[in-house]
Amino acid sequence: MNAEPERKFGVVVVGVGRAGSVRMRDLRNPHPSSAFLNLIGFVSRRELGSIDGVQQISLEDALSSQEVEVAYICSESSSHEDYIRQFLNAGKHVLVEYPMTLSLAAAQELWELAEQKGKVLHEEHVELLMEEFAFLKKEVVGKDLLKGSLLFTGQCYVGSQVTSGPLEEERFGFPAFSGISRLTWLVSLFGELSLVSATLEERKEDQYMKMTVCLETEKKSPLSWIEEKGPGLKRNRYLSFHFKSGSLENVPNVGVNKNIFLKDQNIFVQKLLGQFSEKELAAEKKRILHCLGLAEEIQKYCCSRK
C-alpha cells in the first residue's frame, strides 16, 4: 500500500453521524490508504447541502454513478441490511460499521451476494484495533481459562440524546447486537462460544436495561457478559479472567487509541487491492457470522422468557 496508486476508488459515505464524520475526515486527510480513495460525496436523510466542501448527493445518484465504486455505510444499524443490498446490487464495494445486520440469515445472504458480484463486503471492528485488546491478546495467549466475565456500562443514546431502551433498540438492535463488539472481544480471545442462558431486565420508566448472558468456551469454561445501561452509568468496561496460572482483573492504562477508524480503512483498502489471503478472509467471515449467530440466539432466548 506504500506504492503510488494506479487508480482511486470513488467513495460515498452513507450517514454522517459520529462514525460517518470520522470516516469523511480520514478520507480527506493525507494517509497511505486514503491515497487509494476519492471522496465523491455523502448521503443523508437530512438536507445538509455540503459539509466542509463535500457535497451531499441523493441515494439514487450514489447507486447509479459510475464514479462511485465504494460505499461506507455509517447509518443506524437497522438500516444497514437494506443499504448493503442496494449498493452490492449496484456493483459497489461496501464497508459497513458493525453490526452488519440484525440477523444471521441476512448476513449470510449478503455475503453470498457480495461473492456473486465479486465485491468486497467489510464489517468494521475497531474494537479489535484498540490498545486494550492488543494487551489482552498477549495476556491470554497460551493460558487455560477457568472462568471470566466482561461487564459494559453506559447510557442509552440515540444521536447525542440520552433516551429510553425501546427507541435505541429500534434503531440499533437488541442489546446483543448493539453491544456485539464486546462479544467479538470474547470470541477473539477465547474462541467460539456457546450460549448457556440469558436474561434481560428492563425498567423503561427509569431508562434502565441490564442484559446478562452466560456463555461457555469449547472447553466448557464459563464466561459471563453483561451490558448495563441507565442514567448516571459512565461508559466503562470491567473484566475479570481467571486462569490456571493466575488472574487478570481489568486492563491497565495502555495508551490512547489513535486513528482506529483509519486503521480499519487500511484493512479495507488492502482487501480492495487483493492483499488478504482467502484463509484470512474466511477466518474473519467465520468469526463475524459466529458472533451474529450468538447475538440472535441471545435475543431469542431473552424474548422467549418475557
Side-chain angles (χ1 to χ4, degrees):
M1 202 161 60
N2 295 326
E4 190 67 27
E6 293 178 11
R7 57 173 295 226
K8 290 191 174 192
F9 294 86
V11 182
V12 65
V13 175
V14 181
V16 287
R18 293 178 188 179
S21 298
V22 172
R23 293 294 190 183
M24 286 175 61
R25 180 201 68 195
D26 287 344
L27 283 161
R28 294 200 315 275
N29 287 342
H31 302 294
S33 61
S34 300
F36 290 85
L37 304 165
N38 177 34
L39 179 57
I40 303 291
F42 68 89
V43 174
S44 176
R45 290 195 311 264
R46 295 172 290 163
E47 288 294 331
L48 299 172
S50 67
I51 299 175
D52 296 331
V54 181
Q55 292 301 308
Q56 181 170 0
I57 61 176
S58 69
L59 175 62
E60 293 73 21
D61 286 348
L63 290 166
S64 62
S65 171
Q66 296 298 308
E67 267 191 296
V68 174
E69 298 168 272
V70 171
Y72 281 17
I73 311 298
C74 309
S75 55
E76 295 154 357
S77 305
S78 58
S79 67
H80 288 180
E81 179 185 340
D82 186 47
Y83 279 134
I84 295 169
R85 185 175 287 106
Q86 289 189 69
F87 278 101
L88 287 177
N89 277 321
K92 319 295 187 187
H93 302 283
V94 174
L95 176 154
V96 59
E97 310 298 345
Y98 71 76
M100 177 191 302
T101 62
L102 300 178
S103 79
L104 175 61
Q108 290 170 323
E109 179 198 334
L110 291 174
W111 235 305
E112 287 172 12
L113 179 60
E115 287 164 5
Q116 287 168 14
K117 297 286 185 180
K119 298 300 171 184
V120 172
L121 174 55
H122 171 79
E123 184 184 56
E124 162 268 309
H125 278 285
V126 292
E127 76 279 9
L128 300 181
L129 305 174
M130 291 178 170
E131 297 296 331
E132 296 96 324
F133 180 75
F135 170 83
L136 286 174
K137 195 75 175 168
K138 288 178 185 175
E139 284 294 309
V140 308
V141 68
K143 293 181 180 177
D144 289 323
L145 180 73
L146 296 175
K147 63 177 181 177
S149 65
L150 175 58
L151 162 66
F152 176 81
T153 61
Q155 297 185 57
C156 296
Y157 284 95
V158 169
S160 59
Q161 302 296 312
V162 180
T163 185
S164 56
L167 182 56
E168 185 180 69
E169 185 175 327
E170 181 183 314
R171 297 171 73 174
F172 299 102
F174 188 79
F177 284 99
S178 59
I180 205 166
S181 62
R182 269 75 71 183
L183 184 57
T184 302
W185 260 28
L186 293 176
V187 169
S188 299
L189 291 171
F190 302 112
E192 292 196 350
L193 305 171
S194 54
L195 177 63
V196 176
S197 65
T199 59
L200 180 66
E201 176 191 350
E202 286 183 297
R203 297 198 302 272
K204 293 174 184 176
E205 67 279 5
D206 297 328
Q207 297 185 350
Y208 177 83
M209 178 281 297
K210 184 177 183 181
M211 180 184 72
T212 304
V213 181
C214 296
L215 303 157
E216 64 179 17
T217 67
E218 290 179 332
K219 292 183 178 179
K220 304 297 182 185
S221 300
L223 274 171
S224 67
W225 167 35
I226 300 168
E227 295 276 310
E228 187 174 19
K229 294 184 178 182
L233 287 177
K234 291 184 178 178
R235 185 180 176 87
N236 220 327
R237 199 186 290 113
Y238 307 90
L239 57 85
S240 175
F241 299 138
H242 297 272
F243 307 97
K244 287 181 180 178
S245 56
S247 299
L248 178 63
E249 300 283 346
N250 293 316
V251 181
N253 188 346
V254 288
V256 179
N257 291 305
K258 289 184 179 178
N259 298 324
I260 52 176
F261 282 92
L262 181 58
K263 290 175 183 176
D264 179 72
Q265 178 176 280
N266 293 345
I267 293 169
F268 177 63
V269 168
Q270 286 177 302
K271 290 179 181 179
L272 288 177
L273 299 176
Q275 294 174 354
F276 264 64
S277 70
E278 290 298 320
K279 185 178 179 182
E280 288 172 309
L281 292 171
E284 181 185 62
K285 177 182 173 182
K286 185 182 179 187
R287 186 204 75 228
I288 290 170
L289 291 177
H290 175 67
C291 290
L292 288 170
L294 266 180
E296 187 171 75
E297 202 178 341
I298 292 164
Q299 180 177 7
K300 287 177 179 176
Y301 196 103
C302 289
C303 292
S304 70
R305 281 152 179 77
K306 276 190 175 181

